[in-house]
Amino acid sequence: MARHLITSAIPYINGIKHLGNLVGSQLPADLFARYQRGRGNEVLFLCATDEHGTPAELAAAKAGKPVEEYCAEMHEVQAKIAEGFRLSFDHFGRSSSEQNQVLTQHFAGKLAENDLIREVSETQIYSHADGRFLPDRYIEGTCPNCGFESARGDQCDNCTKQLDPTDLINPYSTISGSTDLEERATKHLYLRQSEMRGKLAEWIDSKSDWPVLTTSIAKKWLNDGDGLQDRGITRDLDWGVPVKKGEQDWPGMEGKVFYVWFDAPIEYIASAQEWVDADKGTDWERWWRTDKGADDVTYTQFMGKDNVPFHTLSFPVTIFGSGEPWKLVDYIKSFNYLNYDGGQFSTSRGRGVFMDQALDLLPADYWRWWLLSHAPESSDSEFTWENFQSSVNKDLADVLGNFVSRVTKFCRSKFSEAVPEGAEYGEEELALINELTSRTRAYEQHMQDMEVRKSAQELRAIWAAGNEYLQTVAPWSTFKTDPDKAAIQIRLALNLIPFYAVLSAPFIPDASASLLASMNVTDTSWPEDVAARLSALQVGHEFTVPEVTFRKITDDEVTEWQETFAGTRD
RNA sequence: GGCGCGGUAGCUCAGUUGGUUAGAGCGAUCGACUCAUAAUCGAUAGGUCGGGAGUUCAAGUCUCCCCCACGCCA
């Protein structure tokens, strides 16, 4: 039995994510996790919310709440939505957890021991009124480049020029509005990534089977300009993991926290500890420590392309640099962006569909199917309502849903709500079983390779094969002259339903479960032996004709939803 | 401006290390069937593979230039 550690990039805490975020990491990770579990493998599937940093503080301030309270609430909101989409995390952790704090400080201590952290003195703006430094967006002023009066400390929104807070003319605090500011020297820690450049390059080069998207982004960062740069890992903020060297204080770094990108990936490990501490598991180290049982673990990370640099470079530096036997990622599956109807999804303008809104419109399976079967694997892809409508109506309602409907209703009207008696399978039946055997093996290969779209395509072909078979043998005609033969035909067709349900479960878990319930089947094991599974239902096995498995999306709904989500609000 | 990923049938996309008449699904047209969620099944039509030049016996697939879209960075 293989062991799979699977993580999805952790979504940021400030607000509800849109469908592009979902399909970029959490959803394909879930597909893979469900598939591996389905094959009987041992899986630990982890995710969390990324809670530290300036945007969280600002969002909390805007909501008029203490940041801890805001994060706790938003974590619950995101957890609930994840559940709504049936994301089957073994644990959905929080980067603000005690476990992550301890572990982050531990890694920092080890990196310092190994001389991979250096201290840098910088000049930053200090606000007397607020009693704190004002990084990034905490300060605004007049842009020295274009004269725009509300330029942020890190960038001017008008002319897009990158700025340093000390560049601003007439600067003021965005917290208090105070202009009582001064430049003050402050000290920060930098991770010496440049030291590891050779090791990283060698490691990346050895991953010839990774998606080009992953390796090309990593190589770009390794080789562009002067090569991989050291990065600051601390900030003058209150909200974050306090800077410490393991359990020791870090002289000169009092009142500072680690920068969010440093502690966020460490949460992958901490989440496993949280999983144990929540009594959901018993041993996290056998997943994460190669000296304690994790050497036979296959670790796969899923993420959008914007996260690739952190996972191919920064986090590996943390792991390598610790000098400790932590489990390193084996495969990084990265995704391009999903666009919305000719443009980008926009959180700030409310353009596109967000996860909570999606679930208000239709059940999770409808979204899961469309998103996965159109996953932006090789290039950016595009969501349009027409495309969504035609995929759902054709694939789910017509090909799969209607198949179940025609078979069960035919059986009920000509025989009963039970598997009818008949002789043995004939030539056509064996031909179908052969076809489905080879298609199932192809499907398994694509799923193993994480070829999401191809998997969906093969699954659809498996569904369609049932309709082709029925059309060929035409039990409605056979029944008039040879009811026994019709019984055989419909017996096979009935057997296809639980077979489809098990194969389809990673994509559409709810529909899968309800089909199995209708067919009165409890065996959810993977059909290693397709032929055996297709004669599993015994004569006389009772079932009930299911309700409509998938409904169709109407033209009126498409029109309405197009307007609703066009993004003119705010 | 630099870098990156793309530009393949009306639409969404596949096309392994260059090799016979470029593929799938949807849509369109025609036909079959009538068990079913006006569902299904079959057939047909549709592309000078962004443009140009080059390498080669042979290029969607390699090289160079250009155009377009998107993204990242300056």
Side-chain angles (χ1 to χ4, degrees):
Chain A
M1 187 167 72
R3 301 176 62 215
H4 285 273
L5 173 62
I6 301 166
T7 59
S8 159
I10 66 178
Y12 200 70
I13 192 72
N14 70 337
I16 291 161
K17 304 298 127 183
H18 54 63
L19 295 182
N21 299 129
L22 178 64
V23 75
S25 59
Q26 292 178 323
L27 194 50
D30 182 68
L31 181 78
F32 190 59
R34 285 178 180 273
Y35 173 69
Q36 292 300 346
R37 289 194 199 104
R39 293 306 302 271
N41 293 322
E42 193 181 355
V43 168
L44 182 63
F45 178 28
L46 301 172
C47 193
T49 39
D50 177 11
E51 305 192 358
H52 291 137
T54 313
E57 284 191 312
L58 290 176
K62 193 176 170 188
K65 291 176 180 168
V67 67
E68 291 86 348
E69 189 182 322
Y70 172 82
C71 287
E73 284 179 16
M74 286 307 298
H75 175 82
E76 284 313 308
V77 168
Q78 292 210 23
K80 201 152 194 101
I81 293 172
E83 211 179 296
F85 272 97
R86 303 295 181 256
L87 301 174
S88 59
F89 307 132
D90 289 296
H91 187 71
F92 188 57
R94 303 182 57 186
S95 71
S96 63
S97 68
E98 174 71 22
Q99 292 89 338
N100 193 39
Q101 173 164 326
V102 171
L103 198 56
T104 298
Q105 291 168 341
H106 168 82
F107 272 110
K110 287 291 166 189
L111 290 166
E113 268 177 35
N114 296 327
D115 196 26
L116 286 165
I117 288 180
R118 63 187 169 90
E119 298 184 3
V120 173
S121 285
E122 296 176 329
T123 302
Q124 289 203 348
I125 305 292
Y126 184 84
S127 164
H128 292 105
D130 302 305
R132 60 176 293 169
F133 286 98
L134 302 176
D136 311 328
R137 303 172 189 197
Y138 278 114
I139 184 166
E140 289 184 358
T142 302
C143 175
N145 189 48
C146 70
F148 182 61
E149 288 180 6
S150 303
R152 299 196 318 249
D154 52 352
Q155 185 178 36
C156 173
D157 281 336
N158 187 50
C159 69
T160 74
K161 189 174 169 58
Q162 301 277 318
L163 300 173
D164 192 89
T166 54
D167 296 337
L168 294 170
I169 300 162
N170 301 325
Y172 57 89
S173 161
T174 55
I175 302 170
S176 59
S178 169
T179 56
D180 182 15
L181 310 175
E182 73 167 52
E183 292 186 14
R184 204 181 264 196
T186 181
K187 213 160 55 167
H188 280 294
L189 304 180
Y190 275 65
L191 182 63
R192 302 176 66 194
Q193 302 187 132
S194 54
E195 284 295 303
M196 287 256 172
R197 187 179 159 199
K199 191 174 177 71
L200 289 170
E202 191 185 326
W203 178 59
I204 298 290
D205 283 338
S206 74
K207 303 298 183 184
S208 54
D209 61 328
W210 284 12
V212 274
L213 183 65
T214 304
T215 51
S216 72
I217 292 175
K219 286 178 182 172
K220 182 200 158 192
W221 281 67
L222 278 170
N223 302 323
D224 246 27
D226 299 329
L228 186 61
Q229 299 298 301
D230 296 346
R231 287 188 75 140
I233 57 167
T234 54
R235 288 268 128 169
D236 290 299
L237 297 175
D238 296 325
W239 178 233
V241 176
V243 175
K244 281 194 168 188
K245 206 179 278 190
E247 291 175 5
Q248 312 297 313
D249 287 336
W250 202 310
M253 299 304 293
E254 295 81 6
K256 296 178 195 292
V257 299
F258 286 108
Y259 198 15
V260 58
W261 71 258
F262 183 70
D263 74 71
I266 295 172
E267 169 61 18
Y268 290 142
I269 306 174
S271 180
Q273 299 182 16
E274 293 174 43
W275 168 70
V276 170
D277 293 344
D279 284 329
K280 295 192 239 174
T282 52
D283 185 355
W284 65 271
E285 288 184 315
R286 68 186 277 273
W287 290 100
W288 275 108
R289 294 282 296 215
T290 55
D291 59 336
K292 294 181 181 172
D295 46 322
D296 66 338
V297 167
T298 301
Y299 177 22
T300 309
Q301 294 176 338
F302 289 81
M303 71 198 66
K305 59 183 171 187
D306 50 330
N307 263 314
V308 169
F310 298 112
H311 291 79
T312 52
L313 306 169
S314 304
F315 188 44
V317 165
T318 303
I319 298 289
F320 282 137
S322 73
E324 298 176 328
W326 297 101
K327 177 66 194 169
L328 193 65
V329 66
D330 293 299
Y331 192 87
I332 295 181
K333 176 76 177 177
S334 56
F335 289 85
N336 285 287
Y337 293 141
L338 179 68
N339 289 318
Y340 179 81
D341 207 9
Q344 293 180 318
F345 276 87
S346 169
T347 304
S348 57
R349 281 180 298 143
R351 186 168 192 283
V353 187
F354 291 75
M355 287 172 73
D356 56 336
Q357 300 170 321
L359 290 177
D360 287 342
L361 299 183
L362 291 167
D365 283 349
Y366 293 63
W367 299 104
R368 291 177 63 105
W369 174 252
W370 189 88
L371 289 167
L372 290 167
S373 62
H374 294 77
E377 288 178 297
S378 58
S379 65
D380 291 357
S381 66
E382 175 145 328
F383 176 90
T384 64
W385 287 102
E386 289 88 349
N387 193 306
F388 178 63
Q389 178 192 29
S390 77
S391 274
V392 166
N393 289 358
K394 195 70 190 174
D395 300 347
L396 296 181
D398 294 347
V399 175
L400 177 60
N402 179 56
F403 174 79
V404 172
S405 180
R406 69 193 293 204
V407 170
T408 52
K409 286 182 181 171
F410 180 83
C411 187
R412 180 174 63 186
S413 79
K414 304 298 183 195
F415 300 99
S416 68
E417 282 186 272
V419 176
E421 197 165 348
E424 294 307 303
Y425 288 160
E427 227 172 89
E428 279 105 344
E429 286 70 37
L430 295 178
L432 175 64
I433 290 168
N434 280 338
E435 183 193 345
L436 288 175
T437 301
S438 67
R439 284 197 180 280
T440 300
R441 300 289 97 91
Y443 174 62
E444 291 163 358
Q445 189 61 52
H446 286 139
M447 290 293 269
Q448 186 64 40
D449 294 342
M450 287 165 263
E451 293 274 13
V452 178
R453 296 175 86 126
K454 286 180 181 171
S455 300
Q457 213 168 22
E458 194 60 48
L459 181 59
R460 201 200 110 100
I462 288 171
W463 297 339
N467 283 315
E468 291 166 24
Y469 167 76
L470 280 187
Q471 211 63 33
T472 307
V473 300
W476 48 90
S477 300
T478 319
F479 184 76
K480 293 170 189 161
T481 57
D482 188 350
D484 277 358
K485 192 168 182 189
I488 297 167
Q489 293 164 346
I490 217 64
R491 194 177 87 207
L492 176 56
L494 286 168
N495 269 286
L496 286 174
I497 297 171
F499 172 72
Y500 286 171
V502 171
L503 288 186
S504 309
F507 281 90
I508 46 174
D510 286 347
S512 169
S514 78
L515 287 178
L516 286 171
S518 295
M519 295 309 293
N520 203 13
V521 169
T522 52
D523 181 6
T524 57
S525 69
W526 196 260
E528 307 291 346
D529 183 341
V530 172
R533 189 60 62 90
L534 292 181
S535 46
L537 296 187
Q538 301 296 311
V539 169
H541 178 99
E542 293 183 357
F543 64 89
T544 50
V545 172
E547 298 298 309
V548 168
T549 311
F550 292 103
R551 76 168 182 87
K552 295 204 186 194
I553 298 168
T554 65
D555 293 346
D556 286 347
E557 285 174 319
V558 167
T559 307
E560 183 193 327
W561 294 340
Q562 270 170 338
E563 285 173 23
T564 307
F565 298 100
T568 46
R569 298 173 298 170
D570 283 16

